[in-house]
Amino acid sequence: MPDMDVALKDAMQIDGAIGVALVDRSSGMALGIAGGTRDFDLQVAAAANTEVIRAKLRTMEMLSLHEHIEDVLVTLETQYHLLRPLTGRSGQGLFLYLALNKDRANLALARHQLKRIESSLDI
């Protein structure tokens, strides 16, 4: 089972990857980061996307939806942002955040690869 650093490096191998972070949903703090640019601050993005996950969880609770979120997709003009809550016991309260260049990414394949990385991640 790969540790966090290996998992983040694996995620950066996904076609079109701009950056990836493992984020604590309760604090919004990125526990690990790979990639990013000077103009794309993954610390800020991780904290802000924590609110997206929290909002979706609140909505599901209000609607009495008793399902797990597989991922949340935000589509921008030039990017995809994937938020994938971890489902394993050791990953409770954490999510993977992956930003992709829309022109270079295959969204279906990226979702599949992120799911594989999540399932093998050992926190």
Side-chain angles (χ1 to χ4, degrees):
M1 292 191 150
D3 67 5
M4 178 181 58
D5 291 332
V6 172
L8 295 174
K9 287 177 186 172
D10 286 348
M12 284 303 297
Q13 298 305 308
I14 295 172
D15 286 342
I18 298 168
V20 62
L22 179 65
V23 186
D24 176 13
R25 188 174 71 218
S26 63
S27 68
M29 178 184 287
L31 305 176
I33 287 177
T37 67
R38 188 177 54 151
D39 298 326
F40 192 86
D41 187 333
L42 279 165
Q43 292 282 358
V44 172
N49 279 298
T50 299
E51 293 303 318
V52 174
I53 292 286
R54 288 179 187 160
K56 187 58 187 171
L57 289 170
R58 281 192 307 272
T59 301
M60 290 174 62
E61 186 177 324
M62 290 187 301
L63 295 172
S64 297
L65 293 175
H66 303 289
E67 298 185 41
H68 295 284
I69 297 172
E70 284 188 24
D71 55 47
V72 175
L73 170 65
V74 177
T75 305
L76 305 176
E77 290 177 25
T78 63
Q79 298 175 0
Y80 294 124
H81 292 221
L82 280 171
L83 312 170
R84 184 171 184 86
L86 302 188
T87 56
R89 288 185 69 184
S90 65
Q92 287 295 336
L94 303 178
F95 69 94
L96 284 167
Y97 165 61
L98 175 65
L100 299 162
N101 179 312
K102 197 172 176 180
D103 290 335
R104 294 185 17 236
N106 176 323
L107 183 57
L109 187 56
R111 289 182 70 224
H112 176 73
Q113 290 172 310
L114 199 59
K115 180 179 181 179
R116 179 189 51 77
I117 290 167
E118 184 252 334
S119 69
S120 67
L121 185 59
D122 186 22
I123 305 283

